[in-house]
Amino acid sequence: MSSVEVHQDIVSLLQKPNPVILDIGCNDGTDTQQFLSLCPQAQLYCFEPDPRAIARFKKKLGPSLYGVKLLEIAISDRNGMIDFHPSNADGDAKEWDLSGSIRRPKNHLTEYDWVRFDRPVSVETRRLDDWCSEAKLNTIDLIWMDVQGAEADVIAGGMQTLGNTRFVYTEYSDRELYEGQLSLQAILDLLPSFEVASHYPRAVEGDVLLKNTRF
């Protein structure tokens, strides 16, 4: 299934013209843009701590930027500041910022040895529950989560929000690319009210759409 088909499938499941979508780890806005094109009335809140990705997000969205809320922060299990490990590479991939994480790289260093991680930088971070409380968001239709191994941090700081979320889309890896990264089963164990709605496997990695059975 192509990326466009995945987004189309998810939007069809939301079954409303103005869903509330949190794009956590939005990077350059590619997914945000796809959701906007499929669902122009969506309420989109996008989170990204990497300044390079933020700059590309603003450029890519252009005039559409006014239709979303961009938060230049990381989501984790705490409020304050946190170390972020930006990614980089050489040659044609010298601007590679797709692997940055608040988790230290582990097996990523050998599995994808062409990616390097620069010294950590301090970025602002918020707990999802606290941010959603302040934003007065009571029900979330979709959390699109691409946080490079920091799934446990987002979940730990967002249990109340996740309980009020209909669908969660997340990456996973069963080979601990980042220190403490959760396997797919470990993610499911932390979210007992969720079941797998769609699975997009890639060997021992992949993406999964989870559905909250309370809705």
Side-chain angles (χ1 to χ4, degrees):
M1 186 179 288
S2 70
S3 174
V4 172
E5 290 172 328
V6 170
H7 288 77
Q8 289 173 335
D9 185 48
I10 292 174
V11 167
S12 70
L13 291 173
L14 300 182
Q15 297 182 330
K16 60 196 309 186
N18 58 340
V20 175
I21 300 174
L22 307 189
D23 188 353
I24 302 177
C26 61
N27 196 256
D28 70 350
T30 296
D31 296 304
T32 300
Q33 197 171 53
Q34 290 203 37
F35 281 122
L36 273 179
S37 66
L38 293 168
C39 202
Q41 297 179 56
Q43 302 173 60
L44 272 154
Y45 300 88
C46 309
F47 303 83
E48 177 58 51
D50 190 321
R52 300 168 301 167
I54 290 168
R56 293 197 296 128
F57 183 103
K58 293 176 178 178
K59 183 176 181 180
K60 180 184 285 285
L61 269 289
S64 299
L65 187 64
Y66 298 101
V68 306
K69 178 70 172 177
L70 175 61
L71 294 307
E72 300 179 18
I73 60 176
I75 294 296
S76 74
D77 60 350
R78 71 198 75 170
N79 296 318
M81 305 299 290
I82 197 168
D83 280 349
F84 177 79
H85 303 268
S87 65
N88 221 315
D90 296 316
D92 292 340
K94 66 179 181 178
E95 299 299 325
W96 184 265
D97 60 9
L98 295 172
S99 302
S101 177
I102 60 173
R103 290 272 176 159
R104 293 174 186 267
K106 187 178 178 181
N107 292 329
H108 201 295
L109 297 171
T110 53
E111 297 285 345
Y112 303 98
D113 59 5
W114 54 273
V115 178
R116 68 174 188 270
F117 290 84
D118 299 330
R119 66 178 60 185
V121 296
S122 186
V123 299
E124 183 181 354
T125 186
R126 296 297 311 278
R127 296 176 72 254
L128 186 57
D129 282 348
D130 294 333
W131 183 86
C132 284
S133 176
E134 292 176 6
K136 295 181 172 55
L137 294 179
N138 298 317
T139 302
I140 310 298
D141 293 295
L142 171 68
I143 291 178
W144 181 276
M145 184 163 61
D146 187 356
V147 293
Q148 301 298 308
E151 295 80 18
D153 305 277
V154 175
I155 293 170
M159 288 301 293
Q160 181 176 344
T161 299
L162 287 161
N164 297 320
T165 298
R166 295 171 60 207
F167 292 92
V168 173
Y169 181 98
T170 183
E171 274 193 329
Y172 70 88
S173 176
D174 293 338
R175 55 184 171 185
E176 201 179 355
L177 297 177
Y178 301 84
E179 290 183 1
Q181 181 173 17
L182 299 179
S183 65
L184 175 55
Q185 186 56 54
I187 291 173
L188 293 171
D189 289 344
L190 288 179
L191 300 172
S193 68
F194 283 82
E195 63 182 15
V196 175
S198 298
H199 191 191
Y200 316 95
R202 302 186 305 270
V204 293
E205 299 171 18
D207 304 283
V208 66
L209 178 67
L210 306 178
K211 178 182 179 180
N212 193 336
T213 58
R214 293 175 181 167
F215 285 85

